[in-house]
Every structure is written in C-alpha cells, then in structure tokens.
Amino acid sequence: MVNNLSETLAVNCDTLAHIWIKKVRKAENLKTYNALSDDALLKINSKVYRTLSLWLQNENDKNSIGAFFVNIGKERRKQGFAVSEVSYALFLSQRAVQEYIINENLIDSSMALYTIMGLSSQVSDFFYLGSYYMVKGYLEDTYLALQKNEDMSDEKLRTYFSDDFFFKDVDRVH
C-alpha cells in the first residue's frame, strides 16, 4: 500500500500542488506567496511532492532530503520570503497530502492500523526534516549575506524575520 501511495503521489504531484495553492490562497499571513500567480506557486511546490514520493519509496535518504530543503530555504531567502511564511507554507504542504489521502480514499478500510500509522509517520518525518533543513538553509544563507556585507537594512531584515505577528505595537529604536 505504501508503494501504491508513493506512486499515486508521484503521478499526482500537480494535483497536490493545486490543493496546496487553495490553502495558500486562504492563508492571510502568506502575503509573499499570495502575491505570486498560481503557475508560479505550482512551479515552486510540485518538487516537494515529487521528493516526498521518492522518500516514501526509499529512494531518497535523510541527506538528500536535507540538501533539497536547505536549497529551498536559501532560494526563498533570496526571493524575499519571510522565514515564518516559508515555514507555514511547508506546513500547508503536509496538510495538502493528508487531505488528499483522506479525500481520495487512498487508504481503504482493509488496511491495517499499523500500516496507516507507519505511512503517517513517514509523511510526518519527511515534513519535519524538511522544516528543519529549510530553516537551516534560510538562516545559513542569511548569515552568508550578512558576512558578505550585503545590504541588510532594518527594512530588509524585517522582511526576512517578521510578519504581521511580530512588531505590531513596537517601534524599533536604532
């Protein structure tokens, strides 16, 4: 069943990405993502699901997953996404997989409970590792930019490290 699911996910990466896009569009705190077109969102998220299917098929190890997500973190930092947005968007990616599995009846009633738990654990591990490595890549790239003395004004740092939740009532003093 796990192999069938990973094959199904591999074939339906774009479907999963469209479910994710709907979730992104409903998330008011994902302003940078919501400024992109659906095609741009599809492009940046489909690879996540392809990588997940390889993970479920045991074709990618922890190091491959780490490298993949470190690169995503670095790319998103360079593109001006706040780290909180990137993290939440990845969370929504996981939710899209869960929704797809439930709505498409990929888990039939004859499937043993331990198999369902194992599959759920594998999907969760993928996204937990992804979150860890994505933030690691984001912060590593930020560190390198600061080390190179790139323009890191307060405004730019706010872009990377804050969102509507932070600094609401506080004016930063220089």
Side-chain angles (χ1 to χ4, degrees), residues 73-74 77 83 133-146 161:
K74 289 179 178 186
R77 201 278 313 165
V83 69
Y133 283 108
M134 186 227 19
V135 170
K136 184 177 178 5
Y138 190 102
L139 293 175
E140 180 182 305
D141 200 65
T142 302
Y143 174 82
L144 292 173
L146 289 168
F161 294 108

Side-chain angles (χ1 to χ4, degrees), residues 46-61:
S46 292
K47 292 177 187 175
V48 171
Y49 298 120
R50 286 186 186 89
T51 305
L52 171 62
S53 69
L54 293 173
W55 169 261
L56 293 173
Q57 294 171 0
N58 295 318
E59 292 184 27
N60 270 350
D61 63 7

Side-chain angles (χ1 to χ4, degrees), residues 4 8 12-13 17 19-20 30 34 36 59 62 65 82 84 86-87 104 107 125 127 131 135 137-138 153 170-171 174:
N4 289 341
T8 301
N12 292 296
C13 290
I19 294 169
W20 173 76
L30 296 181
N34 277 308
L36 299 175
E59 292 184 27
K62 181 181 170 185
I65 299 302
S84 56
V86 179
S87 181
E104 297 300 318
I107 300 174
D125 286 351
F127 284 102
S131 180
V135 170
Y138 190 102
S153 64
V170 178
D171 283 270
H174 300 289

